Amino acid sequence: MIEALHIVDNRARPDILEQLDMLAGAGERILSAGPPPAGMARPVKPVHCTMGSARLAGWRMRELAGAAQVIHAWSAQALWAGRELALATGRALVLTIPAAPTTPDNWKTLRRAVGPGLVNVVAPTDFARRQLIAGQLPARFCHALPPAARALARPDEARGEVRGALGIDAGTKLLVAPDPLVRYAGHEYASWSHAILRHVPLDLKLAFPSSGPMADHVRFFAHTTGFDAEVHFTHGRFSVAQVIAASDMTVFPQTRDVGVFTMAAAMAAGRAIVASNIGGMAELADDGEAATLIEPGPRETSAGLLKLADDDDLARRLGRAARDRAARMFDPAAVAAKLQAIYAAALETKAH
């Protein structure tokens, strides 16, 4: 087994950290460039960022690298620390991203970090890998690794706990938008669709279980629909997986590809899914087979959700198919084995 040293920071996306928890080896260490992220299941050792510099934190990590052959960064801040550590120690460097960059500045940062073929970039879909290559990253340094996903051990227990705490009775449907609160995730469409369906009328509540830099914006928009008393922001109270287990439908109305990790989690949980027919989401689930895929937009999202809300048999069938597909594609042990192959490729590239 190729040992990796993992690097995070307190701005790492929660869905990325879930992947780290599922894929890291039992004895592998995790360092944080600066204060560690909240709520991580594994022990994390913080390393001081002198003058706020992740690069200087990477320099300080030299004594902590131990026998690890690969450095694996899980965020943009961690990338700069990992790059400095890789340059100082000669180790191979791997970066996991949720999707290809969505802005020119992010592309510029990634190209600068990759430099002369230093960083092996891992994305969760072939779609994202193709975007990286189209963005002029060397193909041999771009890898597709399926998302890892697993269902809760006691989903019925989690469902009862969450719905009880939120005051949701058996006759009320719960719509969950699980993606991190990041730009282009389409959370406004989730709020808009919730309001439209309440006017149908449909007895429906909405939950946002994750966190992210757009949290204030998502809250503000949700409170403009007139149904803010029926919208729940549950981050810090329950895990994303618990809230997914409590849902009747999940929605991923992304306007650009920003990742598929939480969609894979919803599939593993056997939830009914409405998702934009773009990017990696269209790769994970075929329309009408394991999800309802729609074009991005509030009307289209609302129509897809209403279709599932009006047909419980369809929702259950899609949920079962999604769970079966996730069991075949997203088993954490199988994905971890594929990650080992990527580590081996990174070491081979480094040797040459």
Side-chain angles (χ1 to χ4, degrees):
M1 177 176 171
I2 298 171
E3 181 180 345
L5 174 70
H6 303 278
I7 306 178
V8 299
D9 79 288
N10 64 2
R11 286 174 286 183
R13 282 177 41 160
D15 55 342
I16 285 275
L17 297 177
E18 284 286 335
Q19 294 294 300
L20 167 57
D21 182 51
M22 285 186 278
L23 298 179
E28 292 179 339
R29 289 168 300 153
I30 305 173
L31 306 181
S32 177
M40 285 200 66
R42 294 170 180 253
V44 182
K45 180 176 178 58
V47 177
H48 179 62
C49 289
T50 306
M51 297 183 291
S53 170
R55 289 183 174 88
L56 292 178
W59 182 257
R60 294 167 65 94
M61 291 174 183
R62 290 174 301 155
E63 304 303 320
L64 302 172
Q69 299 165 268
V70 172
I71 300 161
H72 194 155
W74 295 83
S75 67
Q77 181 87 341
L79 170 60
W80 294 113
R83 188 176 191 274
E84 196 66 35
L85 180 58
L87 289 170
T89 63
R91 287 172 168 84
L93 177 60
V94 172
L95 167 69
T96 287
I97 58 174
T102 54
T103 67
D105 284 346
N106 289 341
W107 272 113
K108 182 179 179 181
T109 296
L110 187 56
R111 292 190 189 105
R112 282 179 56 208
V114 171
L118 174 65
V119 182
N120 287 263
V121 184
V122 179
T125 60
D126 288 324
F127 173 84
R129 180 178 183 271
R130 292 194 300 271
Q131 282 193 305
L132 293 174
I133 295 169
Q136 301 180 344
L137 270 64
R140 68 185 182 281
F141 289 96
C142 299
H143 309 271
L145 179 72
R150 60 189 175 200
L152 288 176
R154 295 184 294 276
D156 292 341
E157 181 180 312
R159 180 179 178 86
E161 180 183 357
V162 172
R163 292 177 73 97
L166 300 183
I168 302 173
D169 59 33
T172 300
K173 293 186 182 295
L174 176 62
L175 170 64
V176 173
D179 270 337
L181 307 185
V182 298
R183 192 177 300 276
Y184 306 123
H187 291 102
E188 300 93 336
Y189 293 167
S191 289
W192 205 338
S193 297
H194 170 249
I196 290 172
L197 294 179
R198 288 293 289 114
H199 283 290
V200 166
L202 182 68
D203 192 3
L204 180 71
K205 292 190 177 182
L206 172 63
F208 296 103
S210 195
S211 61
M214 298 297 290
D216 289 344
H217 174 77
V218 175
R219 284 179 180 273
F220 174 81
F221 192 91
H223 291 163
T224 66
T225 65
F227 294 97
D228 44 308
E230 301 175 7
V231 180
H232 302 278
F233 290 84
T234 61
H235 176 67
R237 297 178 64 189
F238 305 103
S239 70
V240 174
Q242 287 176 310
V243 181
I244 288 175
S247 71
D248 298 287
M249 301 181 291
T250 57
V251 63
F252 302 86
Q254 296 177 14
T255 58
R256 297 187 190 179
D257 183 27
V258 296
V260 296
F261 294 134
T262 50
M263 182 171 169
M267 292 173 67
R271 300 296 91 185
I273 293 169
V274 171
S276 296
N277 189 20
I278 61 172
M281 293 183 295
E283 186 176 311
L284 259 61
D286 298 328
D287 182 33
E289 295 296 327
T292 296
L293 300 183
I294 46 90
E295 295 305 309
R299 288 188 178 185
E300 294 82 357
T301 305
S302 301
L305 290 169
L306 184 59
K307 181 180 179 180
L308 291 183
D310 278 347
D311 192 337
D312 289 339
D313 289 339
L314 173 62
R316 284 191 289 267
R317 178 177 66 78
L318 292 178
R320 287 193 299 269
R323 183 173 56 237
D324 292 344
R325 187 176 179 89
R328 294 194 306 271
M329 296 177 59
F330 310 143
D331 174 65
V335 176
K338 293 177 181 178
L339 179 58
Q340 282 286 308
I342 291 174
Y343 288 165
L347 290 172
E348 180 68 18
T349 303
K350 185 70 176 176
H352 293 85

